[in-house]
Amino acid sequence: MSLTGWALPSLLALVALALFVVIVAGRPRRGGVAGILGRATAAVSMCAAVVATCAVVLNDHYLFFVTWTDVLDNGSSASTTVSRGALPAVADTLPPAVTVAPATAVLAPLPAPGQQWQTYTVKGARTGLVGQVLVYLPKGYDPNSGVRYPVIEALHGWPGGPTAVNHELNLDTTFQSLVDAHRVAPPIVVMPQINIPLTLDTECVNAPTGQGPQTMSWLGQDIPTWIGTHFRVADRRTSWLVLGASYGGWCAANVGLHYPATFGGAVSFLGYNSPEFAPAYVPFKSDPAGLKTYQLVSVAGHHPPPIALWLMASKEDHSAYAALVALLKAARPPLSVTAHVLHHGGHNVATIPPTEAAMVSWLVKTLPGFAPHA
């Protein structure tokens, strides 16, 4: 029986109630020492069941322990994983939102032919925003071949820019080793500039007209549209993932939940659940109701889209861990959430690369487009 959820506290509450009935009925009725010991045992057992019920309910709310292994752990394990509403795989229940270049189309030449790293300046077709975009191509990528690749849109933290993603995720070392080991299909990894200009903490939202940039649309529409016309990529959402760390993790979850026809999944390392604007930029002062769109716990609980989330946080990172717990508990089908909880580590990007193998294992089971080729 799961440590979290309604089943265990319900069972314990029923046991406590049954023992209460036994005590009220004066059972066992025999006298002497045996009767006294029997009634005392029932009373102590009832108290223990009540305490256990309260403890389990509190644990379910705060997730002090995620699984029974977590409770019994003697310090030998570094993490625990729990899922809610998990599906065996995300289905193509929505029509593709990204139009990709046909096989006969001649794609624009790469800025650095034969290299894995490419650098672009992109103007968004919808938003008009102009920003830097880095692209990490699979080994041997040939734009003239018929091979189509899955896509990872990777979002940087704050402060920072597209080049920070490689530092945060170790793309060319840790992640590349998983690709080389055929643990995951080689993806095209696209790292767009989030903040335009770079000094503006946009929090990945679409600001009200005239109050700031339409950053969520830049990441959720402009960049995928640009990817589809510049690279040989798959069009199904089961081949598209958005991920990020910290600020980028919040952005990834936000974009994924709002664009489920484009992204089948989203990964948030050390992220949070709602925008945290700096005092210098608060675009919803005149429209506080507009912020409801960006409260991910509310979205997950009341308007859950059919995508899969993978969340990672450390128990020592109180903010990110609280956000993980809240989103995990709020999620309702068809949304599925898998949480990977580190026992130690704090809010440190150095904790991310060691968890990428677990994330990739989830990814290939959840989004078929990332399954390694035979």
Side-chain angles (χ1 to χ4, degrees):
M1 183 177 293
S2 173
L3 181 60
T4 59
W6 60 268
L8 182 58
S10 298
L11 176 62
L12 290 171
L14 286 174
V15 170
L17 179 61
L19 290 169
F20 175 75
V21 171
V22 167
I23 294 170
V24 170
R27 302 287 183 171
R29 298 199 175 200
R30 59 182 179 273
V33 175
I36 294 173
L37 288 176
R39 289 187 289 274
T41 299
V44 171
S45 298
M46 183 194 71
C47 292
V50 170
V51 171
T53 302
C54 295
V56 169
V57 169
L58 284 172
N59 181 72
D60 188 61
H61 184 74
Y62 293 104
L63 287 191
F64 301 116
F65 302 101
V66 182
T67 67
W68 290 109
T69 302
D70 202 4
V71 175
L72 302 173
D73 178 55
N74 59 5
S76 60
S77 64
S79 62
T80 306
T81 301
V82 62
S83 298
R84 289 197 176 176
L87 305 173
V90 170
D92 283 325
T93 54
L94 301 175
V98 179
T99 301
V100 301
T104 56
V106 177
L107 302 182
L110 297 174
Q115 303 297 312
Q116 284 190 267
W117 288 98
Q118 309 288 326
T119 303
Y120 295 86
T121 298
V122 176
K123 181 176 182 179
R126 181 188 180 281
T127 66
L129 295 176
V130 178
Q132 184 188 55
V133 178
L134 296 186
V135 179
Y136 185 63
L137 295 172
K139 293 178 180 178
Y141 173 80
D142 181 0
N144 297 316
S145 76
V147 178
R148 293 193 178 273
Y149 294 88
V151 176
I152 295 178
E153 186 174 324
L155 308 181
H156 60 80
W158 170 267
T163 57
V165 177
N166 190 44
H167 166 66
E168 295 164 352
L169 304 180
N170 285 3
L171 286 176
D172 56 2
T173 54
T174 303
F175 186 80
Q176 184 63 53
S177 68
L178 295 169
V179 175
D180 292 342
H182 304 289
R183 298 277 300 275
V184 61
I188 292 176
V189 185
V190 181
M191 295 150 276
Q193 178 181 336
I194 294 177
N195 304 310
I196 303 174
L198 272 174
T199 55
L200 181 66
D201 179 3
T202 67
E203 290 299 306
C204 298
V205 303
N206 282 346
T209 304
Q211 296 187 33
Q214 304 288 291
T215 309
M216 188 173 71
S217 293
W218 158 257
L219 298 173
Q221 293 178 267
D222 286 345
I223 295 301
T225 298
W226 177 82
I227 295 169
T229 57
H230 283 74
F231 302 96
R232 298 296 181 191
V233 298
D235 64 346
R236 307 302 301 188
R237 72 193 194 101
T238 49
S239 294
W240 286 68
L241 176 76
V242 58
L243 63 77
S246 189
Y247 166 66
W250 139 252
C251 291
N254 180 47
V255 170
L257 287 172
H258 285 94
Y259 293 96
T262 298
F263 301 99
V267 170
S268 174
F269 296 100
L270 312 173
Y272 45 98
N273 294 335
S274 59
E276 298 179 355
F277 296 111
Y281 178 69
V282 185
F284 290 93
K285 284 184 177 179
S286 61
D287 180 27
L291 276 175
K292 292 181 179 179
T293 301
Y294 305 105
Q295 305 300 316
L296 300 191
V297 170
S298 178
V299 173
H302 300 289
H303 308 286
I307 75 165
L309 296 182
W310 192 88
L311 313 174
M312 184 278 272
S314 162
K315 287 187 175 182
E316 294 179 347
D317 180 358
H318 302 298
S319 176
Y321 182 64
L324 176 151
V325 171
L327 198 54
L328 182 66
K329 291 183 64 61
R332 299 290 182 270
L335 173 67
S336 71
V337 178
T338 296
H340 189 77
V341 179
L342 302 182
H343 297 179
H344 306 286
H347 195 82
N348 185 350
V349 295
T351 62
I352 295 174
T355 68
E356 288 182 11
M359 184 274 288
V360 162
S361 179
W362 164 86
L363 177 61
V364 299
K365 294 175 183 176
T366 307
L367 298 183
F370 288 89
H373 306 303

